[in-house]
Amino acid sequence: MASTLFVVTGASRGLGREVAVTLGRRIEVLKEAKPFFVLLARGAEGLKATKEQILSVSPNAEVLTQSVDLSKVPACSDTLREAIETISSGQTFKNAILVNNAGIIKPLTPLLQVKHTDFMESFSLSVLGPLELLKAFNKVNSQKKTVVHISSIMALMPKDSCGVYGSVKAASDAMHRSLAKEESETYRVVNYSPGPMDTDMMTEISTDHPDTYERAMWREARQSAIRPEDSARKLMYLLERNEYKNGAHIDIYDLDEDGEIIR
């Protein structure tokens, strides 16, 4: 029985960790063949913890962790290629799923005050690094390939002092739509907006936003924020149903509890 390969960036914490663990748990529930994971992030300790959580729900999984900074392009290219080759060499997978999740909210600065270096760090992490990863992922031998870009409502609706984040997410949306159009016979692609989640990113906005009123708004939003594991579960069901238009931007509020698109 052929296995599934999962490649997840930003896997050391937050949504990235929950997506990886949720997918591992689902493979075990469905009693599918041993899954393979490539977990990528900057923080080695966080990756170790994610690996342990995956193995606790999917004991037979093979998990490779690799500390890498996707904003360091082209330096990260060889690391990404070697990590994927290490775990996929000689394998033919039933499905290969890449989740491009890495991103940073900073700089939290009005657009006309943004420094070039800050913009380029965010752009590299959300666009250039994921592009290098897509090139490496393209070499995987798999019957099906799925790519998920973890997007944001800010790619569609600007928020004060979050212009850099919204801009790079919009650019990454467009890049993934282009992949869906150019490689439609090989790839299924979705831009998934996971909703306002109770993660480190929301903590950063609610404490470091330069505007007092906005900080208060974000602090209030944290009280009813979505749990990352709930957003990860809806994403899992969305992928299983496979009913989305290739390259679409799907918001968590477009889905019911079982991942069916309702609007």
Side-chain angles (χ1 to χ4, degrees):
M1 184 185 297
S3 298
T4 298
L5 170 67
F6 301 103
V7 182
V8 184
T9 70
S12 61
R13 58 180 181 169
L15 181 64
R17 171 179 289 170
E18 294 301 334
V19 167
V21 174
T22 297
L23 293 172
R25 182 183 294 112
R26 189 62 171 173
I27 288 290
E28 193 70 16
V29 168
L30 296 177
K31 301 187 183 304
E32 296 191 5
K34 177 180 77 172
F36 292 74
F37 286 84
V38 178
L39 306 179
L40 304 167
R42 297 179 183 182
E45 287 303 311
L47 286 173
K48 180 181 177 182
T50 303
K51 178 178 179 177
E52 291 172 353
Q53 289 189 32
I54 291 173
L55 293 175
S56 73
V57 298
S58 185
N60 294 321
E62 185 167 332
V63 185
L64 172 68
T65 63
Q66 179 63 60
S67 180
V68 62
D69 187 347
L70 288 174
S71 71
K72 306 301 183 185
V73 179
C76 69
S77 302
D78 289 343
T79 303
L80 296 171
R81 185 176 63 254
E82 290 168 6
I84 290 180
E85 286 178 352
T86 296
I87 205 164
S88 66
S89 179
Q91 296 278 349
T92 297
F93 296 102
K94 178 184 70 173
N95 196 5
I97 299 176
L98 166 61
V99 182
N100 272 325
N101 168 67
I104 51 174
I105 190 65
K106 292 183 176 179
L108 291 166
T109 309
L111 200 59
L112 296 182
Q113 299 175 23
V114 171
K115 296 179 181 178
H116 171 80
T117 52
D118 291 339
F119 185 94
M120 287 310 300
E121 179 184 9
S122 184
F123 185 79
S124 295
L125 183 60
S126 292
V127 182
L128 299 182
L131 177 57
E132 292 303 304
L133 182 53
L134 284 170
K135 293 176 185 177
F137 183 73
N138 192 51
K139 299 182 184 299
V140 171
N141 189 7
S142 180
Q143 298 169 29
K144 296 188 297 180
K145 289 183 180 177
T146 301
V147 176
V148 179
H149 165 229
I150 301 300
S151 186
S152 170
I153 189 63
M154 294 187 204
L156 307 177
M157 298 174 58
K159 302 288 186 181
D160 287 348
S161 295
C162 297
V164 172
Y165 183 73
S167 296
V168 301
K169 283 299 180 183
S172 196
D173 267 20
M175 180 176 75
H176 286 84
R177 285 198 306 272
S178 295
L179 175 68
K181 185 176 188 302
E182 294 175 359
E183 303 292 340
S184 60
E185 294 185 4
T186 305
Y187 283 89
R188 290 285 287 157
V189 183
V190 63
N191 294 294
Y192 175 66
S193 182
M197 295 179 296
D198 188 12
T199 61
D200 291 345
M201 185 176 287
M202 181 171 275
T203 300
E204 286 184 61
I205 303 176
S206 63
T207 56
D208 297 340
H209 197 287
D211 184 82
T212 303
Y213 176 74
E214 289 288 335
R215 284 198 303 274
M217 290 270 294
W218 283 104
R219 281 197 296 270
E220 183 177 346
R222 287 189 66 191
Q223 305 306 312
S224 57
I226 297 166
R227 297 188 308 166
E229 55 266 39
D230 291 336
S231 190
R233 177 175 47 79
K234 283 198 175 185
L235 172 60
M236 177 193 71
Y237 286 138
L238 174 68
L239 297 179
E240 283 188 0
R241 285 179 173 276
N242 196 26
E243 296 171 346
Y244 54 87
K245 180 181 178 182
N246 206 11
H249 181 113
I250 304 292
D251 192 279
I252 188 172
Y253 295 114
D254 296 331
L255 306 174
D256 68 10
E257 287 303 311
D258 296 321
E260 183 175 3
I261 298 171
I262 55 176
R263 65 177 187 181

